[in-house]
Amino acid sequence: MKSFDYQLLVIGAGSGGVRAARTAAACGARVAIAEERRLGGTCVSRGCIPKKLLAYAAHYRDDFEDAAGYGWTVAQPVFSWERLVGNKNREIDRLNGVYQDLLEGARVDILRGSAKLTAAHTVSVDGRSVTAEHVLVATGGRPFKPDIPGIEFAITSDEAFELRELPRRILLVGGGYIAVEFAGIFNGLGADVTLAYRGAQILRGFDDDIRRHLNNEMRKKGVTILLETDLAGIARRDDGTLDVEWSRESAQPNAFDAVMFATGRKPNVEGLGLAELGVNLDDDGGIVVDDWQQTNIAGIHAVGDVTNRIALTPVAIREGFAVAATLFGGRRTKVDYDNLPSAVFSQPPIATVGLTEAQALKRFGEVDIYRRDFRPLRHTLSGRDERSLVKLVVDTASQRVVGAHMAGADAPEIIQGIAIAVRMGAKKSDVDATIGIHPTAAEEFVTLREKETKRRQDDDTAPDERKS
Ligand code: FAD
């Protein structure tokens, strides 16, 4: 048998790659991992973790304001972007170190440098050739910016984490979760925020009630949301101000200190040598894999964002685990993508598991909807005009809960627990039989008794929603 330097060589030490490397090593395999940037990947260095730290920072603004209703007198709070970014960077440095310790502790060799496949079992890492029985491509993705005049003046989420100062006026282009989250972050930290999206409503793919609810809440907090609006170009004045040209004339405002594009991400496949080896890629460059993360070329596998499927850290981790268990653990392991919970750390946050109402209607034909829009107890004294929404989607025939959705404080923490019940096939009667924890927002889910008889047009959508 041909001998290789390693049994597994992973390209990319992000969420998926690190989990695959550690799992394979724990199964006794000889493993190396190549990384050209920092250990931990997007999630740790320029994704989930720094984003959530910034979201916490942004929420303090509301907390300071809300404190007054509870008897506190708070001196005028002063915010330092520089201090926040410095502290955030120190935490990321610490996490990079944790990843190094984890890999070294698992006896995974770390190969620093840019990797490229030169043959099915051979990878060149900054010119050094290494062979492996299996190669796992886990190179993630990168932000995508469209080709419009002046696009070089725009930033993406990568640069947003490192801005030298907080922009006074920022435009976020895009309607996905990254645009929505950064809108909440910059708004909370005190910037004037405009979000422009070319679609009819933010957060395509989420339940329509939740999308409308969040749009309303964001606008109440002062974010200007321009829908069905596209950017035609950007020009920079001598003083650094960015003038934008809109696709429709009525759109306002036009001048910003920063423009950030959050218009999707593309798989990181450039320069990896995949096309040369005949690895199948989809139209966006995503690596095509089967249920076992195997490409069409024997010995080459892929997990995570580079496969252009569901770009979330826990999914990449699960795929990394599955591929290692299949190759070295003696267990062919598939990932189950059904009932996948997810959250958007917007202000307020939203979270979801299972099907939206529209998806459920399509799949089951008839569904029962239970929904409550309420003022959280906390805001009775704070006086804040913020509402929460909980919603259950139930398949009428089987009475199984097929979707749970929430917008409001702690939604991600609440939905994580509900996801277990939905995954286990809970029926509406199981939810009803569960005694609530009082007083909480979560108990609203177990006290939803009234089925909506007729789907009504949403009354919480402001009439001027689509206007600038
Ligand atoms: P990555 O984590 O991107 O790791 C890929 C690694 O490969 C990188 O370290 C890269 O440097 C390395 N690499 C690339 N090419 C090469 C090469 N040729 N040689 C060597 N190394 C290479 N997900 C969530 O679940 N929750 C969130 O709240 C969340 N928030 C996000 C916020 C933002 C702003 C962004 C951008 C993403 C967010 N995500 C979130 C998505 C999450 O970060 C990704 O789904 C996850 O990191 C994907 O893991 P991965 O292993 O596929 O790739």
Side-chain angles (χ1 to χ4, degrees):
M1 193 182 112
K2 196 171 167 214
S3 81
F4 296 101
D5 297 328
Y6 295 98
Q7 286 167 283
L8 176 68
L9 174 68
V10 180
I11 306 179
S15 309
V18 168
R19 178 52 57 97
R22 290 175 59 205
T23 307
C27 294
R30 266 177 300 121
V31 184
I33 193 162
E35 176 54 59
E36 64 183 7
R37 295 171 84 173
R38 306 183 77 182
L39 299 176
T42 304
C43 180
V44 172
S45 298
R46 48 195 176 277
C48 337
I49 301 295
K51 180 271 305 280
K52 184 121 189 235
L53 295 175
L54 264 51
Y56 281 133
H59 201 269
Y60 275 97
R61 181 198 185 89
D62 284 3
D63 295 337
F64 288 129
E65 286 173 11
D66 293 352
Y70 285 88
W72 291 92
T73 302
V74 180
Q76 184 62 35
V78 179
F79 170 69
S80 164
W81 170 258
E82 200 184 335
R83 184 139 43 95
L84 171 63
V85 171
N87 289 346
K88 181 261 297 173
N89 287 346
R90 255 188 302 286
E91 173 57 10
I92 291 169
D93 288 345
R94 188 187 72 81
L95 289 171
N96 293 144
V98 167
Y99 272 85
Q100 173 149 352
D101 292 347
L102 285 173
L103 288 165
E104 286 173 356
R107 295 173 192 246
V108 172
D109 286 352
I110 301 171
L111 312 176
R112 301 275 182 176
S114 179
K116 174 184 167 57
L117 275 141
T118 50
H121 297 280
T122 310
V123 174
S124 157
V125 185
D126 273 358
R128 175 185 159 202
S129 196
V130 186
T131 60
E133 188 180 356
H134 297 279
V135 174
L136 175 66
V137 184
T139 48
R142 64 191 142 71
F144 165 78
K145 287 197 286 187
D147 191 12
I148 58 163
I151 193 68
E152 65 276 16
F153 303 127
I155 60 168
T156 67
S157 57
D158 282 1
E159 296 83 36
F161 288 117
E162 301 304 331
L163 285 171
R164 297 226 311 227
E165 52 189 43
L166 182 70
R168 202 164 52 81
R169 301 158 299 177
I170 184 164
L171 167 65
L172 292 151
V173 186
Y177 81 93
I178 294 178
V180 165
E181 289 178 338
F182 273 92
I185 288 169
F186 284 119
N187 180 59
L189 297 180
D192 251 348
V193 176
T194 302
L195 182 146
Y197 176 49
R198 65 174 169 205
Q201 184 54 281
I202 55 171
L203 291 176
R204 188 160 60 90
F206 284 80
D207 187 88
D208 288 339
D209 282 328
I210 298 286
R211 298 167 75 191
R212 277 189 289 267
H213 185 94
L214 183 64
N215 180 316
N216 258 345
E217 292 301 323
M218 287 173 70
R219 286 188 298 108
K220 280 198 244 167
K221 285 182 189 292
V223 176
T224 302
I225 300 182
L226 307 175
L227 297 174
E228 293 172 338
T229 308
D230 223 346
L231 207 63
I234 308 169
R236 187 159 71 180
R237 292 187 216 159
D238 289 345
D239 69 358
T241 301
L242 301 176
D243 290 315
V244 307
E245 197 187 321
W246 297 110
S247 58
R248 66 180 166 94
E249 274 178 14
S250 60
Q252 291 286 341
N254 299 322
F256 300 93
D257 302 302
V259 175
M260 173 180 149
F261 271 76
T263 41
R265 293 173 63 83
K266 290 266 187 246
N268 259 335
V269 286
E270 262 162 44
L272 279 175
L274 296 168
E276 293 86 329
L277 290 176
V279 174
N280 282 344
L281 304 178
D282 68 20
D283 291 345
D284 286 326
I287 301 176
V288 178
V289 289
D290 66 12
D291 287 349
W292 288 274
Q293 325 298 333
Q294 165 73 54
T295 70
N296 59 315
I297 304 292
I300 303 182
H301 316 262
V303 294
D305 289 8
V306 77
T307 62
N308 204 19
R309 294 173 292 176
I310 300 170
L312 290 172
T313 280
V315 175
I317 290 174
R318 195 55 72 94
E319 291 170 354
F321 171 82
V323 74
T326 300
L327 295 176
F328 305 106
R331 258 185 310 145
R332 266 171 85 70
T333 307
K334 250 196 206 183
V335 177
D336 178 359
Y337 298 95
D338 272 352
N339 291 318
L340 197 113
S342 71
V344 178
F345 296 96
S346 41
Q347 314 273 343
I350 67 171
T352 176
V353 59
L355 304 177
T356 65
E357 180 179 344
Q359 289 166 340
L361 261 176
K362 213 164 162 192
R363 186 173 307 177
F364 301 108
E366 209 183 326
V367 294
D368 297 343
I369 300 299
Y370 298 84
R371 177 167 83 144
R372 186 170 297 142
D373 180 325
F374 61 98
R375 183 184 201 193
L377 178 63
R378 179 190 165 101
H379 295 315
T380 53
L381 292 201
S382 78
R384 178 171 298 284
D385 174 24
E386 181 178 307
R387 300 188 66 81
S388 296
L389 178 73
V390 295
K391 176 171 175 178
L392 287 179
V393 182
V394 177
D395 166 30
T396 305
S398 67
Q399 282 300 296
R400 265 188 49 228
V401 178
V402 294
H405 311 274
M406 178 171 177
D410 301 324
E413 308 290 344
I414 293 167
I415 289 288
Q416 179 70 83
I418 289 183
I420 302 171
V422 172
R423 198 186 150 69
M424 290 176 76
K427 294 198 163 171
K428 179 63 170 55
S429 55
D430 296 314
V431 178
D432 293 345
T434 305
I435 293 178
I437 300 175
H438 185 72
T440 62
E443 71 178 320
E444 300 294 335
F445 272 112
V446 296
T447 55
L448 288 169
R449 295 286 184 265
E450 271 176 45
K451 182 163 63 178
E452 287 187 2
T453 44
K454 186 166 148 286
R455 293 300 291 136
R456 60 180 170 81
Q457 284 302 308
D458 267 276
D459 45 23
D460 57 357
T461 306
D464 63 345
E465 181 181 287
R466 293 185 185 193
K467 297 199 194 116
S468 51

